[in-house]
Amino acid sequence: MKFSTMLGAAIGSAIDGRDGDDSTVDGAIAGAGAATVVRAVVPLAITFATGWLVLRGVGKLKDRMFATKASAE
């Protein structure tokens, strides 16, 4: 088990245990699941953002290189 999953389980358990109604196991399970999802989604989001920024930069560079004098003014 990875550290982020254990940390998510501990945080989920602590949040669930605040009310004191029941066991904190369901909070730990939800926290571990959330940590696993975040660990999978964050790299995808960073990759998507990087690709989008590169494509945007390439488009601006192309427009700057091939712009005619009339469209540049």
Side-chain angles (χ1 to χ4, degrees):
M1 192 185 287
K2 294 194 177 213
F3 177 73
S4 61
T5 306
M6 291 188 297
L7 183 63
I11 291 172
S13 177
I15 290 172
D16 191 40
R18 283 187 315 190
D19 56 8
D21 288 341
D22 59 351
S23 173
T24 59
V25 174
D26 53 344
I29 292 170
T36 302
V37 168
V38 167
R39 194 173 54 232
V41 169
V42 168
L44 292 173
I46 291 172
T47 303
F48 176 80
T50 303
W52 181 78
L53 289 171
V54 167
L55 284 175
R56 183 177 166 111
V58 167
K60 286 189 179 214
L61 180 65
K62 180 188 66 110
D63 290 344
R64 202 176 241 188
M65 286 177 62
F66 296 115
T68 61
K69 195 170 195 174
S71 66
E73 293 175 359

